[in-house]
């Protein structure tokens, strides 16, 4: 499953980075997915980060990179 951050919703708390630093990072002060880790939506820690994001900016969607 794919994980993404909507930077229009994110306000840069960086909670996601503290939770799963291997998948989330910050770019220009806003949350972002580490390049190449967009396919990490199956990781329970990533799901938890999405649930706990204070602005609900993290989305987990069906599908994998390269199967389109
Ligand atoms: S936890 Fe949510 S609001 Fe905070 S940096 Fe990550 S995506 Fe942005």
């Amino acid at each position: 499953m794919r994980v993404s951050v909507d930077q229009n919703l994110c306000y840069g708390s960086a909670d996601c980075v503290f939770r799963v630093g291997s998948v989330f990072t910050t770019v220009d002060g806003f949350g972002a997915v580490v390049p190449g880790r967009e396919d990490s939506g199956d990781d329970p820690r990533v799901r938890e980060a999405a649930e706990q994001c204070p602005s609900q900016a993290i989305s987990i969607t069906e599908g994998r990179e390269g199967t389109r």
Side-chain angles (χ1 to χ4, degrees):
M1 291 186 181
R2 307 222 353 124
V3 59
S4 60
V5 174
D6 184 340
Q7 294 197 330
N8 292 317
L9 296 175
C10 170
Y11 70 91
S13 69
D15 290 35
C16 55
V17 182
F18 288 119
R19 279 177 201 282
V20 202
S22 59
V23 174
F24 297 103
T25 185
T26 53
V27 175
D28 294 336
F30 293 101
V33 179
V34 172
R37 300 304 305 270
E38 295 86 354
D39 218 4
S40 303
D42 290 331
D43 185 333
R45 295 173 310 149
V46 171
R47 290 173 173 276
E48 190 180 323
E51 286 165 10
Q52 300 294 327
C53 169
S55 60
Q56 300 183 335
I58 300 172
S59 306
I60 295 173
T61 52
E62 299 287 337
R64 279 179 190 282
E65 217 169 355
T67 56
R68 280 171 274 187

